[in-house]
Amino acid sequence: MIGIKKIEWVSNYMPLLNYLQKNYKGVLDGIKITMAIHLEAKTAYLAITLKRLGAEVFVTGCNPLSTQDDVAEALKDFGIIVHAKRTNDEKNYYENLNKVLDYNPDLILDDGADLSVIVHTERKELLKNLKGISEETTTGVRRIKNLEKSGILSVPVIAVNNARMKYLFDNRYGTGQSTWDSIMRNTNTLIAGKNVVVAGYGWCGRGIAMRAKALGANVIITEVDPVKALEALMDGYRVMKMSEASKIADIVVTSTGMKDVVKYEDIVNMKDGVILANAGHFNVEIPVDELEKNAEFVFEARPNVKGYKINGKNIFLIGEGRLVNLAAADGHPIEIMDISFALQTLSLIYLKKNHGKLENKVYGYPEELDIEVADLKLKSLGIEIDVLNENQREYMKGF
Amino acid sequence: MIGIKKIEWVSNYMPLLNYLQKNYKGVLDGIKITMAIHLEAKTAYLAITLKRLGAEVFVTGCNPLSTQDDVAEALKDFGIIVHAKRTNDEKNYYENLNKVLDYNPDLILDDGADLSVIVHTERKELLKNLKGISEETTTGVRRIKNLEKSGILSVPVIAVNNARMKYLFDNRYGTGQSTWDSIMRNTNTLIAGKNVVVAGYGWCGRGIAMRAKALGANVIITEVDPVKALEALMDGYRVMKMSEASKIADIVVTSTGMKDVVKYEDIVNMKDGVILANAGHFNVEIPVDELEKNAEFVFEARPNVKGYKINGKNIFLIGEGRLVNLAAADGHPIEIMDISFALQTLSLIYLKKNHGKLENKVYGYPEELDIEVADLKLKSLGIEIDVLNENQREYMKGF
Amino acid sequence: MIGIKKIEWVSNYMPLLNYLQKNYKGVLDGIKITMAIHLEAKTAYLAITLKRLGAEVFVTGCNPLSTQDDVAEALKDFGIIVHAKRTNDEKNYYENLNKVLDYNPDLILDDGADLSVIVHTERKELLKNLKGISEETTTGVRRIKNLEKSGILSVPVIAVNNARMKYLFDNRYGTGQSTWDSIMRNTNTLIAGKNVVVAGYGWCGRGIAMRAKALGANVIITEVDPVKALEALMDGYRVMKMSEASKIADIVVTSTGMKDVVKYEDIVNMKDGVILANAGHFNVEIPVDELEKNAEFVFEARPNVKGYKINGKNIFLIGEGRLVNLAAADGHPIEIMDISFALQTLSLIYLKKNHGKLENKVYGYPEELDIEVADLKLKSLGIEIDVLNENQREYMKGF
Amino acid sequence: MIGIKKIEWVSNYMPLLNYLQKNYKGVLDGIKITMAIHLEAKTAYLAITLKRLGAEVFVTGCNPLSTQDDVAEALKDFGIIVHAKRTNDEKNYYENLNKVLDYNPDLILDDGADLSVIVHTERKELLKNLKGISEETTTGVRRIKNLEKSGILSVPVIAVNNARMKYLFDNRYGTGQSTWDSIMRNTNTLIAGKNVVVAGYGWCGRGIAMRAKALGANVIITEVDPVKALEALMDGYRVMKMSEASKIADIVVTSTGMKDVVKYEDIVNMKDGVILANAGHFNVEIPVDELEKNAEFVFEARPNVKGYKINGKNIFLIGEGRLVNLAAADGHPIEIMDISFALQTLSLIYLKKNHGKLENKVYGYPEELDIEVADLKLKSLGIEIDVLNENQREYMKGF
């Protein structure tokens, strides 16, 4: 019941999916789609949208802790097959990934590339029917490109993450807001005046940093790319190595897509009461295992917050080091996901339509679909923009 | 059990109350303190602090919806008398105010002045033993000053709200952060790109506006004071009448201390899906009664969010129009309340020490205590600042 | 000729003075006004306004370096008596102050209180005819209050600086913008990514800090008031002692009203190429004398910028340590001065009207005139704001 | 003399060019370089740097109004050939372009592509000796790419603008600061509270918008790209068509690279006193010709500011519609140009070294040189950043 309410709520703020439901009926008739997603109300509404466009839909989670069970339950009422449970049990998580693959999908909608990697390694028999993959994240795209480099990629893949309407919005405004929503609601601590260390100054990292600054924090950036480090500096942040920044941090947020960004020896030097959170896709950025192993004791400090006693100091970790906005809150704001999921929906339709015409490689996001989504969003907001006239178009061609 | 955890959690981030507990033991011996507060973990820790300084403490809520029952329960284990329950029942709320007054307090710690008004109108017999009142809020100070103007104020009152360490911090950084924490967690909607209307550009209002802008909103201010209206304009906001602003609002937050700031005829003209919230002390700023009466139907849209169907449009109200950061979230950030409650504690000690020497009037907050709290806070952060030397002090006196 | 152009230019952006010229004709008939001002186009237009309202006007500068000679020249064409010259010669500066006093004024318009101090100490004979003083600045008000404390104040004084429309606007938005305008135009150096140290977090200091942050700087605040230091911290700045901040500074701006804010031993530790500027009223905040005395050599690095070679490092000082926005640029933005000078004009009219009814003390700015100016400014912008209705006014009185 | 001083001044803040002068001596021996640049102190120091690395250098301006004559004069003392004069005479401007080409250069350093277009159209005889072109701007790269598309490009070209260290810094932080520096110094008007319309939300446009907001303006963006329009919206700006935005504008800044961005019919509807400025490369964005032709009269309002009387209203244009930061101020901040010119220098060295190995096409900027410049800049600031370890490098390759 409450799951249904959550889905109804998000439908209020998803004008693009509502538009697609109304205008693209039947376009996915006869197509089986297996999707791995952070299963909460917004992704549920995406699944419902695909169903309403004609597809058979099979859903599982893409991260053990990000599934909301009431929503998973509600989804079944819409005729969608769901294998997903909020859990800490990685084995159960992988079983579910395999279960939704058992339906032998035509298309995969992936988030982080777990499904994509499985079908290309352990379950190659599924490649025969598979017509394409649409991948959501930076991390997933990196993994699939590595499949491509290894020469084993066997279907066309669209990197939805590479749509401008995705990485410029989802990664920046989405992660920026939802990361702080989660940290604030789970800790009730003040952000203003705090030393906030953000590891990584990619699109996600700069969203997180921008909002931290906006909330009054004194932000410090760590980076491995010197150009991004200088951008951070010019944006008014301090730039340091993690081994220095960690000593003065009140809050540390990682968002790099890389493992071991914070090292255990950094944590040992942190201040009493420091708060750690990860906003990257995988729980590899903060060394949770070492915290568990080395702490004098471990305690639940609040729901979603674990305390580790180390050298007599309290080190707090939100959401077990899994991506903090989903493991310990409601994920990205609704309107952001509405955009991302309109991109996803058009991507799946595109893969279906162009079946047979595409190579087995990673494609960027089709420019015309990117513009279509942007135009739809502007229209839903009632905003008109300028258009180049004939003279101006000519001018652009001149030298 | 969970109530205890919440209190333990906040004690991690309240260095000033911890300092006072350690260094002011016994200073309130023999004193009975009745307090009306938003009963959650931080105020609980204030009650515990007063108890540890020697006082007998009697606690009730200061707003029907802001009491957290698990915390109320936990407080009893600390030897504190509690009469409070989260409720919508105003009668029950007033009964509890009276119950904590039955203990015939020496001092009252008030938040919004409900206790103060009762002892000066309905229960004047308590004035005999009462030695002073310490009031927390702008609204409460206004009400007590009206008691003073009416000639019926019978005890000295300290306006804690008038401390610089209070109104410059609690009202601005506290309300600013916690209002958006609440709106974000209760709606999961995007703030960036939204038209956010903030009614009132006092300390609270500018905190709310500043954070909204920082989250990417396009902020519109409504005001009745032309000077504040111009400040808002120079701060980069648009300034309008509510009757105009309401037509383009995506989110409306009131924070004026005044009633009927949003009028029903404004609401009728709002957009489908608009979100309303109040951050002022009393639930009088948004016309909840008229919404309830006139809506085609009323529904629970999400926990803490009510939907009103009006002219076929959904109008959403968070926390029933009560102050949104407390009725639908965890209130101000911990560190902010640590400052405010250090001020409160010193205020109560001051009222005790100076009993007999003060007039029955509303006092501003003693400057030396204000500075003491600021110095303690800087010390807890390890920050040193400059000090004027003898020559400089002389210079200040010259002409 | 060019002086006239400058005055014509500012008249485009001074709607309030234009309004007063049109609607208050003759109101200062028969009054002699002596004024000490930063003599540039905007103050010239104030002098012209007073003249057009009927006064005889006598003008000198209030700071040796802030007089623009072409404007001074142009002013004479409007029938105004001017004794002022851009100079480094303090003796000449004081001679001019005395010359404009020779006219035996009815009213003094002062900026920094030099005229006020002279008439109360060296030229008491002028007090007989003097009906009042209207003082512009924080520094001036402090000096005149010290006259008051010493028991020698002999005329009513209106502290224009204390008008909300003054200190909330002039000191913050005016000084904030014009200080950076001056530093940027005189150095052409990048602000983004720089360590900018702002000494003093009063209204001026926070304006300067806010704009520095906005331009991408990493701002560090020094303060002597612990409450302001904490505000700075919560606003996202670092807070340090000057002896620490100076070591990492790229740019240092003082704005405290206090002398010796930067000490010579701080300067010795600064980085090669550091830029120093003062935005406070008097040139006492940076130890210019010691720089001149101790430098290995002194050179003109650019117009308005002096270089001091100290320990092999270049230390650059803008505008000789005099207030940087006037000594080395065009002062506050026009619209800001339009507001301040509307306040000044109404203040002088008020002093004339209420002659005989006022005590010889420092008055705050009359609330009704403050509101009048705010209303006029809103009207000039075409902005309407809300007005409390009868019910709401009643509500404000309740308890 | 003053030209020399200006050059000495900038050498204080150009650590990268200083580094290259010291460490790359002789690397350009025997090479003739013709350059068209905005001739002021910073570009002069680039020319000097190239000379000190061994090249013969021939300099002209790249925009009629951006040449500073005293700097041009000073440059000759360094043994550099200069043909440039600040002028409004387009014929003279083109003559000078041709004069510096007469030296039959090995390499061209271009800014806006005027030299490049001339050698590919009117003076093809020079292509024989020409080994490559290094182009600075977005506009120039677009023009040369059009040469490439037309099949007439005959030398390898490096698009310096495409270096991350260029477009992320120069276009954003450089244009952002210097545009407002120019507008403020030339008008002395207040930015806070103004409606500022920025046409174009590319890297330059967002720099301009970001700083305008930071200075307290209410910013409105016009765009033709719907994705950028939505980014602007999410960044908190309003988005409109120019025909609407122009009606409420106080200040309009164009930065699109397109012609006729503001149309004469937009100007007719603007407010009295509106200020227009262009920050794009060519003076085609604002219809200066139509202003000149249609105005009731035209007047010099201030140095660098022309007034056009249209329908009884004053329309003010800064710097004749040429790029405002150079035509009416000192161009980008020094440190920004230090980065850009380090990129240019390395680009020219690269073209020399790889002569014979490159195709006749437009190359992006070599990644390794981009990183080299970033590393040098970080080093000059004393900032250390993290480095991936072996395990982490492995992780990046996995799937």
Side-chain angles (χ1 to χ4, degrees), chain A residues 188, chain B residues 42 170-171 174-175 178 325-326 330-334 336-337:
Chain A
N188 196 218
Chain B
K42 289 155 288 182
D170 186 319
N171 299 16
T175 306
S178 60
N325 58 348
L326 279 153
D330 295 311
H332 284 352
I334 303 168
I336 288 293
M337 299 319 293

Side-chain angles (χ1 to χ4, degrees), chain C residues 13 190 194 211 214 273 335, chain D residues 13 187 190 194 211 214 273 335:
Chain C
Y13 299 100
L190 182 67
K194 292 287 176 68
R211 294 308 180 219
E335 295 88 340
Chain D
Y13 299 100
T187 67
L190 183 67
K194 291 287 175 65
R211 294 308 179 220
E335 295 89 338

Side-chain angles (χ1 to χ4, degrees), chain C residues 5 9 12-13 42 177 184-185 187-191 194 211 214-215 273 300 314 331 333-335, chain D residues 5 9 12-13 42 177 184-185 187-191 194 211 214-215 273 300 314 316 331 333-335:
Chain C
K5 274 213 172 153
W9 173 257
N12 281 299
Y13 299 100
K42 290 155 287 183
Q177 175 174 324
M184 289 193 293
R185 77 163 77 170
T187 67
N188 196 219
T189 54
L190 182 67
I191 310 304
K194 292 287 176 68
R211 294 308 180 219
L215 289 162
E300 206 204 357
N314 286 329
I334 304 168
E335 295 88 340
Chain D
K5 272 209 174 156
W9 173 258
N12 281 299
Y13 299 100
K42 289 155 289 182
Q177 175 175 323
M184 290 194 294
R185 78 163 78 169
T187 67
N188 196 219
T189 54
L190 183 67
I191 311 304
K194 291 287 175 65
R211 294 308 179 220
L215 289 163
E300 206 204 359
N314 286 329
F316 296 114
I334 303 167
E335 295 89 338

Side-chain angles (χ1 to χ4, degrees), chain C residues 293-304:
Chain C
K293 203 176 58 192
N294 295 320
E296 293 144 36
F297 64 90
V298 180
F299 56 104
E300 206 204 357
R302 266 173 78 115
N304 294 320

Side-chain angles (χ1 to χ4, degrees), chain C residues 111-125:
Chain C
D111 186 310
D114 277 347
L115 290 176
S116 304
V117 169
I118 290 171
V119 296
H120 281 88
T121 53
E122 301 158 22
R123 303 200 54 186
K124 298 188 190 173
E125 75 279 8

Side-chain angles (χ1 to χ4, degrees), chain C residues 44-341:
Chain C
Y45 201 58
L46 167 60
I48 291 166
T49 300
L50 297 176
K51 175 87 186 168
R52 287 180 179 163
L53 299 191
E56 280 182 85
V57 183
F58 313 95
V59 174
T60 189
C62 67
N63 191 303
L65 273 185
S66 67
T67 293
Q68 297 188 6
D69 292 332
D70 55 355
V71 173
E73 208 49 44
L75 211 42
K76 295 175 185 170
D77 294 344
F78 291 84
I80 288 166
I81 309 293
V82 181
H83 297 282
K85 196 150 194 59
R86 182 179 159 95
T87 175
N88 251 327
D89 178 353
E90 298 250 342
K91 182 155 157 280
N92 178 268
Y93 169 68
Y94 280 103
E95 279 170 10
N96 281 328
L97 286 173
N98 276 288
K99 275 188 200 158
V100 288
L101 285 173
D102 289 346
Y103 297 93
N104 200 21
D106 297 296
L107 295 172
I108 284 175
L109 189 161
D110 215 350
D111 186 310
D114 277 347
L115 290 176
S116 304
V117 169
I118 290 171
V119 296
H120 281 88
T121 53
E122 301 158 22
R123 303 200 54 186
K124 298 188 190 173
E125 75 279 8
L126 298 170
L127 291 168
K128 220 175 86 185
N129 187 53
L130 193 64
K131 292 164 187 61
I133 294 170
S134 190
E135 164 60 43
E136 178 82 2
T137 65
T138 315
T139 292
V141 169
R142 179 180 59 68
R143 294 176 79 197
I144 297 177
K145 283 202 169 161
N146 286 342
L147 286 176
E148 189 182 14
K149 276 183 213 157
S150 310
I152 62 179
L153 184 68
S154 307
V155 293
V157 177
I158 292 184
V160 172
N161 187 66
N162 293 18
R164 289 196 292 155
M165 288 301 293
K166 168 68 170 57
Y167 69 82
L168 292 174
F169 292 79
D170 186 318
N171 300 15
R172 196 165 31 158
Y173 308 110
T175 306
Q177 175 174 324
S178 60
T179 296
W180 290 107
D181 173 3
S182 178
I183 294 173
M184 289 193 293
R185 77 163 77 170
N186 283 298
T187 67
N188 196 219
T189 54
L190 182 67
I191 310 304
K194 292 287 176 68
N195 285 335
V196 169
V197 175
V198 178
Y201 203 61
W203 290 112
C204 289
R206 63 190 66 195
I208 295 166
M210 173 170 74
R211 294 308 180 219
K213 187 181 189 177
L215 289 162
N218 198 302
V219 178
I220 299 165
I221 303 293
T222 73
E223 248 299 340
V224 297
D225 176 342
V227 179
K228 287 182 183 165
L230 283 165
E231 272 188 285
L233 188 85
M234 299 282 177
D235 287 340
Y237 305 116
R238 282 188 281 170
V239 175
M240 295 184 190
K241 301 173 78 162
M242 180 57 82
S243 55
E244 291 305 310
S246 52
K247 291 177 193 163
I248 57 173
D250 294 301
I251 301 172
V252 179
V253 185
T254 56
S255 177
T256 66
M258 175 48 66
K259 73 171 184 178
D260 299 333
V261 175
V262 178
K263 301 193 171 50
Y264 184 72
E265 52 266 39
D266 298 327
I267 294 177
V268 168
N269 290 320
M270 288 181 182
K271 296 196 289 187
D272 185 30
V274 69
I275 292 165
L276 308 182
N278 168 46
H281 189 82
F282 286 116
N283 60 337
V284 298
E285 312 208 4
I286 294 169
V288 184
D289 289 354
E290 294 182 75
L291 282 172
E292 293 281 341
K293 203 176 58 192
N294 295 320
E296 293 144 36
F297 64 90
V298 180
F299 56 104
E300 206 204 357
R302 266 173 78 115
N304 294 320
V305 182
K306 254 190 180 169
Y308 297 91
K309 187 68 83 179
I310 293 175
N311 291 349
K313 295 180 292 189
N314 286 329
I315 309 294
F316 296 114
L317 176 65
I318 310 180
E320 313 202 358
R322 296 186 189 274
L323 69 183
V324 68
N325 57 349
L326 279 154
D330 296 310
H332 284 351
I334 304 168
E335 295 88 340
I336 287 294
M337 298 321 294
D338 185 41
I339 296 174
S340 294
F341 292 162

Side-chain angles (χ1 to χ4, degrees), chain B residues 59-119:
Chain B
V59 175
T60 190
C62 68
N63 191 301
L65 272 186
S66 67
T67 293
Q68 297 189 5
D69 292 332
D70 53 355
V71 173
E73 207 51 42
L75 211 41
K76 295 174 185 170
D77 294 345
F78 290 85
I80 288 164
I81 308 293
V82 181
H83 297 281
K85 196 150 195 58
R86 182 177 158 94
T87 176
N88 253 326
D89 178 352
E90 297 249 343
K91 183 154 155 281
N92 177 268
Y93 169 68
Y94 281 103
E95 280 169 10
N96 281 327
L97 287 172
N98 276 288
K99 273 187 200 160
V100 288
L101 286 173
D102 290 346
Y103 296 94
N104 200 22
D106 297 296
L107 295 172
I108 284 175
L109 188 162
D110 216 349
D111 186 310
D114 277 348
L115 290 175
S116 304
V117 169
I118 291 172
V119 297

Side-chain angles (χ1 to χ4, degrees), chain B residues 230-333:
Chain B
L230 282 165
E231 272 189 285
L233 189 85
M234 299 281 176
D235 287 340
Y237 305 117
R238 281 186 282 169
V239 175
M240 296 184 189
K241 301 173 79 161
M242 181 56 83
S243 55
E244 291 306 309
S246 53
K247 289 176 191 164
I248 58 173
D250 294 301
I251 301 173
V252 179
V253 185
T254 55
S255 177
T256 66
M258 176 47 65
K259 74 173 184 176
D260 300 334
V261 175
V262 178
K263 300 196 172 46
Y264 185 72
E265 51 267 38
D266 297 327
I267 294 177
V268 168
N269 289 321
M270 286 180 184
K271 296 196 289 188
D272 185 28
V274 69
I275 292 165
L276 309 181
N278 168 46
H281 189 82
F282 287 115
N283 61 334
V284 298
E285 311 206 6
I286 295 168
V288 184
D289 289 354
E290 293 182 77
L291 282 172
E292 293 281 341
K293 204 176 60 194
N294 294 321
E296 292 145 38
F297 64 89
V298 181
F299 56 103
E300 204 204 358
R302 266 173 79 116
N304 293 322
V305 183
K306 256 189 179 171
Y308 297 90
K309 187 67 84 178
I310 292 174
N311 291 350
K313 295 181 292 190
N314 286 329
I315 309 294
F316 296 114
L317 176 66
I318 311 180
E320 311 201 358
R322 295 185 189 274
L323 71 184
V324 67
N325 58 348
L326 279 153
D330 295 311
H332 284 352

